[in-house]
Amino acid sequence: MLISLIVPCYNEEESMPLFYKEASRVAAEMKTSHGAEFEFIFIDDGSRDGTLRVARELHAQDPRVRYVSFSRNFGKEAGIYAGLQAAKGDYVATMDADLQDPPALLPAMLDTLLGGEYDCAATRRTTRKGEPPLRSWFAKKFYQIINKMSDTEIVDGARDFRLMSRKMVNAVLSMAEYNRFSKGIFSWVGFKTKWFDYENIERVAGTTKWNFWGLFKYSIEGIVGFSTTPLLVAAGAGVLFCILAFIGILFVVIRALAFGDPTSGWPSLVCIMLLCSGVQLFCIGIVGEYLAKTYLEVKHRPIYIVAETEEGR
Ligand code: UDP
Ligand code: MG
């Protein structure tokens, strides 16, 4: 039984050795307890620091360590996909390099899958301790909104740390879409998932790669990728404004018939025009967002480009 650990790394030269140490410890334990063999696949996502050097060094020390190095930064989602493609394991786990996803949970997760009932053991954090409160608030709102809009359930607090059976990995690999929102993809493919809760752990070294703007774009990506409800909202806004305009017309006509036609009121007209064109632009923007995603999708660009792997350059 081979277990693949996929670790996307962007500027993680400090965390990687710590991760490797902890993961090897758990791997040694699981070799005795479950007879499991391991491979560690580090995905160097176009890092600017010594991540690739560390990956080469670890591979030289330990042949279980494999790596894929991208030609530039393609993002964590591309890293996960590359890892899933490279993985040879019967069971595959995706986890962060910063030890926010504790490898110590792996034995329990594997037990769940070996039971035969589940194809996936996933994790979620129960607290957002150590995170700016404003970010937590926006995150909570995001999960509320996306779950209202999308048929695919996006679990609040779910991390990308999960252990999957080969069956599920193949299902995820069959979704070769360019705009990848993993939280949605993992949920979309289905399969029975058991959730493991744990408290948020702060990263061991290095800094987070997310800023507010990045998270905002990521959330739009998720909504556009897994729901077409915003298009309905745009259409709904159109209908609403038509009704308002119709009532307005009736009002103006009746008033003119009853009281004559005082030619005042152009300021209100300007306001109405501004409002309506604002709503129009907003709706065109929503449509444009879907069009942009479609455009990127039909180009069929590769999800990532490899510069080097442990097998050579
Ligand atoms: N990561 C990546 N490519 C990126 C950004 C992040 O591979 O463009 C990796 C990063 O190295 C880490 C994981 O994704 O292993 C999660 O990133 P981070 O810890 O910064 O996110 P957070 O835990 O703060 O949500
Ligand atoms: Mg992290």
Side-chain angles (χ1 to χ4, degrees):
M1 174 169 55
L2 179 68
I3 299 178
S4 311
L5 299 187
I6 298 170
V7 192
C9 301
Y10 179 52
N11 298 343
E12 300 282 9
E13 63 174 357
E14 291 159 44
S15 331
M16 279 163 74
L18 300 172
F19 174 86
Y20 172 72
K21 213 172 128 211
E22 172 66 7
S24 326
R25 187 185 66 75
V26 174
E29 267 177 32
M30 288 174 76
K31 191 169 167 96
T32 38
S33 63
H34 295 80
E37 298 290 339
F38 273 80
E39 64 173 0
F40 308 108
I41 306 177
F42 291 100
I43 312 293
D44 165 34
D45 186 11
S47 304
R48 290 166 199 279
D49 68 353
T51 297
L52 178 56
R53 178 178 45 79
V54 175
R56 285 187 194 131
E57 283 167 12
L58 289 175
H59 172 66
Q61 272 174 36
D62 180 349
R64 290 180 305 172
V65 175
R66 300 170 56 202
Y67 63 88
V68 177
S69 179
F70 289 174
S71 59
R72 65 168 171 85
N73 181 252
F74 280 88
K76 183 183 177 183
E77 306 291 344
I80 291 178
Y81 189 69
L84 291 177
Q85 282 190 321
K88 297 179 183 146
D90 307 301
Y91 297 95
V92 181
T94 50
M95 49 207 308
D96 289 1
D98 54 13
L99 285 179
Q100 280 187 306
D101 302 330
L105 275 178
L106 283 170
M109 292 164 84
L110 182 62
D111 284 336
T112 306
L113 298 200
L114 288 177
E117 196 189 339
Y118 294 95
D119 276 292
C120 178
T123 60
R124 68 185 158 205
R125 49 182 178 176
T126 46
T127 59
R128 291 181 165 266
K129 200 176 65 192
E131 206 185 52
L134 192 68
R135 177 180 294 190
S136 304
W137 187 83
F138 273 106
K140 221 175 91 199
K141 283 285 158 249
F142 163 70
Y143 284 109
Q144 278 172 6
I145 291 174
I146 195 166
N147 280 317
K148 278 222 180 75
M149 286 184 168
S150 173
D151 295 336
T152 308
E153 193 196 0
I154 314 287
V155 176
D156 187 359
R159 295 195 50 88
D160 288 334
F161 177 25
R162 46 176 80 218
L163 183 68
M164 292 170 275
S165 66
R166 182 41 62 186
K167 211 162 49 177
M168 176 153 171
V169 171
N170 289 343
V172 173
L173 283 174
S174 73
M175 293 179 78
E177 54 200 70
Y178 182 78
N179 297 289
R180 301 191 74 75
F181 182 70
S182 286
K183 286 187 204 316
I185 290 175
F186 287 140
S187 167
W188 193 92
V189 294
F191 294 109
K192 256 190 122 178
T193 300
K194 179 160 180 180
W195 289 94
F196 288 76
D197 293 331
Y198 64 93
E199 290 217 350
N200 194 28
I201 304 167
E202 295 197 29
R203 60 159 51 237
V204 281
T207 49
T208 175
K209 310 299 173 309
W210 291 102
N211 53 30
F212 195 79
W213 180 237
L215 282 173
F216 180 74
K217 283 202 301 200
Y218 182 66
S219 60
I220 299 290
E221 189 113 320
I223 293 174
V224 173
F226 282 89
S227 161
T228 49
T229 310
L231 291 169
L232 265 181
V233 173
V239 172
L240 183 74
F241 274 75
C242 285
I243 294 172
L244 283 179
F246 189 69
I247 296 171
I249 290 168
L250 278 182
F251 175 74
V252 170
V253 168
I254 291 169
R255 192 180 61 173
L257 289 178
F259 304 107
D261 185 16
T263 41
S264 63
W266 72 268
S268 52
L269 204 64
V270 170
C271 294
I272 292 166
M273 272 175 61
L274 278 180
L275 180 67
C276 291
S277 46
V279 170
Q280 278 177 5
L281 283 179
F282 175 69
C283 294
I284 292 175
I286 292 177
V287 178
E289 198 54 41
Y290 283 89
L291 184 63
K293 291 284 182 255
T294 314
Y295 175 58
L296 289 174
E297 211 65 63
V298 295
K299 283 205 259 197
H300 291 301
R301 286 183 177 165
I303 294 170
Y304 60 90
I305 289 173
V306 176
E308 181 184 330
T309 69
E310 82 282 352
E311 285 163 351
R313 288 168 204 234

